[in-house]
Amino acid sequence: MNQAEFIKTISPFKDKVFRLARRLLVSTEEAEDATQEVLVKLWNNREKLSGYSSVEALAMTMAKNYCLDRLKSKQASEMRIVHSNYTDRQAGLQQQAEDRDSWEWAEKIMAGLPEQQRLIVQLRDIEQYEFEEIAKIMDMNETAVRVALSRARKTLREELTKKHSYGIKNS
């Protein structure tokens, strides 16, 4: 296999190898190194590639194994991962204030709900209990739990919408 044939063989999937490496290693630089290592190994074994039913599957397996080995190795503990794709996902000061205000309003509205609805919202939406578990805890049937939760959510949604659209007339 000559260089042109090799390039034609690996071109369709080399970006996939990089994306896999990037997902596992996080750092773009480490992913580039991993991709290069895989491609070098493929080049060194280019005469054997015709014996594989899927060179892409081979390359992806090699990339996965290389990345996992890299993460387990001693180098990984010393490796500084550079997040060139890192963006500060923290909201701005204005957004933080609005979020805090919305949260406080939601708490006030929840406090005004009937006790049963308040408990069901707490158990389902905050504690992540299943309907079956909530029904046992509340000594209710599942349908009644679903209805109470639906009503509580509707009240929360309507009241929050009122608060957020305060002073805005609907035409």
Side-chain angles (χ1 to χ4, degrees):
M1 178 181 289
N2 64 29
Q3 185 178 356
E5 291 170 331
F6 179 77
I7 291 172
K8 187 177 179 183
T9 303
I10 62 141
S11 288
F13 59 82
K14 69 178 184 191
D15 289 340
K16 288 181 185 177
V17 170
F18 172 75
R19 286 192 299 269
L20 175 67
R22 177 90 187 292
R23 172 76 56 209
L24 291 170
L25 297 175
V26 180
S27 166
T28 302
E29 291 81 9
E30 286 292 322
E32 288 169 350
D33 290 347
T35 304
Q36 185 175 4
E37 283 296 319
V38 169
L39 295 179
V40 167
K41 286 179 184 178
L42 287 172
W43 173 255
N44 291 338
N45 293 313
R46 65 188 175 275
E47 299 307 323
K48 300 175 189 173
L49 294 181
S50 60
Y52 290 95
S53 59
S54 173
V55 177
E56 180 177 345
L58 173 67
M60 296 300 275
T61 302
M62 290 170 67
K64 177 193 70 158
N65 291 338
Y66 178 84
C67 292
L68 294 177
D69 288 347
R70 188 90 173 106
L71 289 169
K72 291 177 194 171
S73 73
K74 184 177 182 240
Q75 282 182 313
S77 63
E78 299 168 4
M79 179 171 47
R80 276 186 282 130
I81 297 176
V82 179
H83 294 281
S84 60
N85 64 334
Y86 177 76
T87 57
D88 186 7
R89 297 202 185 271
Q90 188 171 0
L93 200 53
Q94 175 74 26
Q95 186 63 47
Q96 287 178 14
E98 288 176 14
D99 291 346
R100 195 171 35 254
D101 188 48
S102 291
W103 183 253
E104 288 170 5
W105 274 112
E107 286 180 333
K108 286 178 186 176
I109 295 166
M110 270 190 66
L113 290 174
E115 184 178 346
Q116 183 185 59
Q117 289 181 3
R118 187 171 58 245
L119 283 171
I120 291 172
V121 169
Q122 175 74 30
L123 291 171
R124 178 68 181 163
D125 293 337
I126 299 170
E127 305 297 334
Q128 302 291 305
Y129 280 95
E130 296 297 325
F131 287 109
E132 183 181 334
E133 297 168 305
I134 297 170
K136 286 178 186 172
I137 293 168
M138 299 292 294
D139 194 27
M140 300 169 65
N141 68 43
E142 283 186 54
T143 305
V145 170
R146 289 176 191 274
V147 169
L149 179 63
S150 176
R151 289 179 180 159
R153 285 175 175 169
K154 182 180 178 189
T155 302
L156 281 165
R157 183 174 43 256
E158 288 172 350
E159 291 299 315
L160 281 172
T161 301
K162 279 185 202 173
K163 299 298 178 194
H164 284 290
S165 61
Y166 177 76
I168 301 173
K169 286 187 177 182
N170 291 333
S171 307

